[in-house]
Amino acid sequence: MVDIAFLGGGPGGYEGAITAARRGMNALVVEKYKLGGTCLQWGCIPTKTLIHAVRMVRTAAGGKRYGLRGGDGVSLDLQALNKQKERVVSKLTRGIEFLFKEAGVELVSGTGRVTAADTILMEDGREIKARNIVIATGSRMAELPHVKLDGERIIGSRHALDVTSVPDRLLVIGAGAIGLENAFIYRWLGSEVTVVELMDQIMPGSDAETVAVLTAELKKQKIRIHTATRTDRVDVQDGVVHAEFSGEESGWRGEFDRVLLAVGRRPVSEGVFDPGLPIRLDKAGFIQVDTNLRTGLSGVYACGDVIGQPQLAHKASHQAMAIVEHILTGRPVPDHAVPAAVFTDPEMASVGITEARAREIHGDQVKIGRFPYAAGSRANAVDEKAGLVKVVAAPDNTVLGGHIVGAEAGELILPLTLAVQKHMKADELLELTFIHPTLGENVWEALAAVCGRAVHI
Ligand SMILES: Cc1cc2nc3c(=O)[nH]c(=O)nc-3n(C[C@H](O)[C@H](O)[C@H](O)COP(=O)(O)OP(=O)(O)OC[C@H]3O[C@@H](n4cnc5c(N)ncnc54)[C@H](O)[C@@H]3O)c2cc1C
C-alpha cells in the first residue's frame, strides 16, 4: 500500500509524485507510454524546440538593417531539426526518470484503471493499492464531426511535430494557442498558411486589444487569418484537400495540401475508472471535482487536462502539488488565476481578466495602463517594437488582469501574475526596480500608467 498513486505521468502525475515523495510520502506513478506526458512528448517542449528554430530563420531574414549578410538565404535542414527535437525530448524524459530514482518514486509501466477508492488495476491483472489516488490522465486531440484525422492529409498537433515534409499550402482549423503556434512554425518552414477560426477573433476569450496586435503581426508575416468562419466541408480527392467555408466572407472554397485540425482537446476519461464508481463526468467527458479537486469517490482526486480548462501544463502540475499539500496539511487548493501564453513571434501572454470583463464589473471606473513596445529603449535596440503591455486595474488600482503581446511576453507576464494572484495594487509593484535596459521596463511603465506615473509615454 503506497501513500499516493498517480494515474498518468504527465506534468500533473510526475510533478505531483516527486513533490509527494520529497514531502515524505510513498509515491507511485502509473504511465502507459513515457514520463512527461503530452507536454514533454508531443506538446510544450517539442513545439518550442521547433519554434526556436524557425525564429532563428525569421530573425536572420530581418537582420539586414543590422548589417547581417546572407540572412535572406538561411534555411533549415529538416532532418537535423527533427533530431534536435528528439534529443531535447529524450534528454528531458531521462531527466524525469533520474528524478524519480533520486526521490524514490516508483514507476509502474502500463495502462491502469481505478477499480476502487484504494485500487488501480493494471491491464496485466496486477493490483496497486494506494491510500490516495490522483487521476491525471490528460487529454487527446479532438476532431470535428465532419472532419476526422487521417494522419496524412488531415493531421493533428501530434502529427505536425514531424516536420520532415512541409506542405505547400497548409490550412489550420482553429486559432487557439496550438493552431497559431503551428501556423507560425509552418509559415517559417515555407508553407503558405491559412488559419480559419469559428469565433470572431483569434485566441478566443483573450483581451481584444492585444489580440488585435497579434493578428496584425501574424498577417504581416503573410499568415492568412479568417475569423468568424465555419469550416463546412473538408474532402480529400487525389491527394488534394478541398475545403468549403461559410461566415462573414460567406461561401468560399480553398484547396490545400494538408489540414491541421486544432479545435481543442478531449479528456482521457473513458476507461480510466470502473463505471459503477461515484466519479462523475460532465457532458464533454471532463471529470468533475470539488474545490479541493476531489472526485465523488473518497480518497480519489483528479487534476490537469482531464478536469477541464485551462489545459496547461503549469495548471496540471500546480494542481497536483496542491493535492499533495491538501492531503498532508488540509490546506485548501488555491483558486488562482492561471497565466497563459502563445509562443508565436511575437508572443502573447495573459493573466486574470480582460478589459471587457473588468468593464462589466466596474463600468467606466476601470483603470487601464498601456505601454507600447515601440516606446521602450530595449525593444528598439533589439528591433522588437511590435508589442503592447496592458494592465487592467480596479478603481483602487488593484491589478485585475495583465495582457502582453510582444517579445518575451511569456516571461514578462510574471510580475503581473504576482500582482493578480496576490491582489496587489499597481502602486506596490512600482516600488520594484527593473533593470535598464530590459523589456521588463515596459511592464513597469504600464503599471505606472495605471497610477498616472508613466515616464516614457
Ligand atoms: C501541441 C501542444 C502544445 C502545447 N504547448 C503548451 C505550452 O506551451 N504550455 C502549456 O502550459 N501547455 C501546453 N500544452 C498543454 C499541455 O501539454 C497539457 O496541458 C499538459 O500536458 C497536461 O498535463 P496532464 O498531466 O494533465 O496530462 P498529460 O500531459 O496529457 O499526461 C497524461 C499522461 O497520462 C497517461 N495515461 C493516460 N491514461 C492512462 C492510463 N489509463 N494508464 C496509464 N497512463 C495513462 C498518458 O500516456 C500521459 O502520459 C500543449 C499541448 C499541445 C498538444
Side-chain angles (χ1 to χ4, degrees), residues 174-335:
I178 293 176
L180 291 182
E181 288 180 3
N182 275 291
F184 174 71
I185 291 169
Y186 275 88
R187 182 294 171 224
W188 287 97
L189 287 175
S191 298
E192 188 184 287
V193 178
T194 304
V195 179
V196 293
E197 166 57 51
L198 183 64
M199 307 303 280
D200 60 4
Q201 65 170 42
I202 63 170
M203 294 299 291
S206 301
D207 188 81
E209 191 176 0
T210 42
V211 164
V213 176
L214 181 63
T215 307
E217 288 305 315
L218 294 178
K219 282 185 175 174
K220 275 188 212 161
Q221 296 173 39
K222 300 194 174 69
I223 295 173
R224 294 178 189 153
I225 296 175
H226 301 272
T227 50
T229 300
R230 178 187 296 277
T231 308
D232 294 324
R233 194 173 68 87
V234 172
D235 284 334
V236 184
Q237 286 163 22
D238 302 325
V240 176
V241 184
H242 300 265
E244 254 180 56
F245 310 94
S246 58
E248 273 172 5
E249 306 155 62
S250 63
W252 58 283
R253 291 166 190 217
E255 285 186 3
F256 305 92
D257 301 295
R258 214 176 281 165
V259 178
L260 170 73
L261 209 48
V263 290
R265 297 189 51 88
R266 297 268 167 273
V268 176
S269 54
E270 229 181 86
V272 302
F273 58 89
D274 274 356
L277 298 176
I279 300 176
R280 308 261 166 269
L281 304 180
D282 69 11
K283 269 195 206 140
F286 290 104
I287 294 179
Q288 293 189 294
V289 289
D290 69 9
T291 51
N292 286 318
L293 307 178
R294 290 176 294 209
T295 68
L297 182 59
S298 172
V300 177
Y301 296 72
C303 70
D305 280 13
V306 75
I307 65 167
Q309 301 298 332
Q311 290 173 307
L312 293 167
H314 44 280
K315 183 205 79 171
S317 55
H318 278 255
Q319 284 183 335
M321 292 187 267
I323 288 171
V324 171
E325 199 59 34
H326 181 257
I327 291 167
L328 288 173
T329 68
R331 187 184 156 198
V333 170
D335 182 20

Side-chain angles (χ1 to χ4, degrees), residues 7-13 30-34 36-39 42-44 47-48 110-112 136-139 157 178 181 265 268 272 303-305 311-314 316 343:
L7 187 57
V30 177
E31 171 54 53
K32 66 179 175 187
Y33 181 60
K34 286 185 184 171
T38 304
C39 173
W42 315 291
C44 324
T47 52
K48 270 76 234 178
T111 303
T137 45
S139 62
S157 60
I178 293 176
E181 288 180 3
R265 297 189 51 88
V268 176
V272 302
C303 70
D305 280 13
Q311 290 173 307
L312 293 167
H314 44 280
F343 294 89

